[in-house]
Amino acid sequence: MKIKIQLIFISWIFMALNACTQKAEVSPHEFNIKKISNLPEDIVVPSIVWDLLEFKEPNPNKSHAGTKVEGHEEPKSAVQSGEITGSEVNIYLYDKNPDVVIGSAVKIELPKGGGKIDLADYISDVSGSFYFRIEYPAFAGSLAQRVIFQSKARKRRLDEKLWGAGCDQILDITSLFLKTMSKDGLKVNSNRQRHVTVLGGTFFLSAKTESGFSVAQVTIQDSKHQSLFCEAH
């Protein structure tokens, strides 16, 4: 499938998706911890995304063809800019409204390089709002940070408003990602599966260090609502 690329340097993608943040009322010790030890599956990373993760200016004439990344290993072509290592990443899901998140509050600990999250395992059929937050410890003490989101969910019109970025759109969401995720995270709503349309896709994270880069990816899927995605997963 030909990937359509659109680089949008906006303050915060989810602001445009009608999402908002609020003060959460869940303290860290209330989270049920789920540790995933399996290495992430192979994924294809568009070359333009690797340029951004290496803090390069994207070349508009460069092919957008993807590079296959096997598990937590990085493509050899990217190593020329410095050592690239995979780092752990954590995902937090917790209720704004009761019974939306299965277990009310969950912390998902992903291995080095990140991994995939199936929302069907964590979000119930109860309609309501919940918080989504990504914690990337490698950002602490790093020289620079970069967060890229590649949308894999279809754009939808709900209640006369458009939701989602659309298939294979690539967005640099670094600035307010850092601001928002360092606090309570993103508040999304599961009514009519809005949360799937907003979150469906892959978050790529890169922390610049003195020796190179520390990277991870988080892919958000939902096996109960596959029709909302651009292709079956």
Side-chain angles (χ1 to χ4, degrees):
M1 181 183 69
K2 185 176 180 180
I3 296 178
K4 181 181 179 183
I5 303 295
Q6 180 181 5
L7 291 172
I8 306 176
F9 294 87
I10 58 175
S11 60
W12 181 234
I13 173 180
F14 299 121
M15 195 173 287
L17 300 178
N18 301 295
C20 61
T21 57
Q22 290 187 9
K23 180 66 178 177
E25 299 177 352
V26 179
S27 57
H29 69 273
E30 295 175 320
F31 287 97
N32 298 312
I33 297 177
K34 178 177 177 60
K35 187 176 182 64
I36 298 177
S37 57
N38 296 334
L39 292 176
E41 298 177 8
D42 297 358
I43 62 171
V44 174
V45 182
S47 59
I48 196 169
V49 172
W50 273 114
D51 284 346
L52 291 167
L53 295 179
E54 292 184 311
F55 301 90
K56 298 176 182 177
E57 289 296 325
N59 183 349
N61 298 318
K62 188 174 183 179
S63 170
H64 292 153
T67 299
K68 186 176 181 180
V69 181
E70 299 181 355
H72 67 292
E73 297 177 359
E74 289 71 39
K76 294 180 180 179
S77 60
V79 179
Q80 60 188 1
S81 297
E83 180 185 6
I84 297 183
T85 58
S87 291
E88 295 86 355
V89 59
N90 301 316
I91 308 299
Y92 295 84
L93 303 169
Y94 46 104
D95 283 340
K96 170 63 178 176
N97 300 124
D99 302 322
V100 177
V101 176
I102 299 172
S104 297
V106 180
K107 176 184 178 183
I108 307 165
E109 299 179 347
L110 296 175
K112 289 183 177 181
K116 295 182 179 181
I117 302 295
D118 186 350
L119 293 177
D121 295 334
Y122 304 100
I123 305 304
S124 72
D125 293 328
V126 175
S127 294
S129 296
F130 67 95
Y131 292 93
F132 170 86
R133 184 164 73 90
I134 296 177
E135 177 186 55
Y136 191 46
F139 279 160
S142 61
L143 301 177
Q145 304 81 36
R146 177 64 52 86
V147 183
I148 305 298
F149 179 70
Q150 182 178 14
S151 173
K152 290 291 186 179
R154 302 178 188 276
K155 186 181 293 186
R156 295 194 293 156
R157 183 176 293 277
L158 298 171
D159 301 326
E160 302 305 317
K161 295 180 181 179
L162 284 176
W163 290 75
C167 295
D168 288 306
Q169 299 301 301
I170 292 177
L171 306 102
D172 184 339
I173 60 170
T174 305
S175 181
L176 279 182
F177 176 97
L178 297 175
K179 179 179 179 181
T180 304
M181 294 300 178
S182 66
K183 296 180 180 178
D184 303 318
L186 180 71
K187 183 168 76 73
V188 290
N189 193 281
S190 63
N191 184 36
R192 297 174 67 184
Q193 291 77 53
R194 284 174 170 83
H195 66 297
V196 177
T197 300
V198 171
L199 300 175
T202 299
F203 295 84
F204 297 96
L205 306 102
S206 178
K208 188 175 183 180
T209 64
E210 292 183 358
S211 60
F213 306 92
S214 177
V215 298
Q217 60 85 16
V218 178
T219 297
I220 305 298
Q221 304 176 330
D222 193 319
S223 59
K224 289 195 301 186
H225 304 289
Q226 295 191 47
S227 63
L228 299 180
F229 288 82
C230 303
E231 59 185 44
H233 54 263

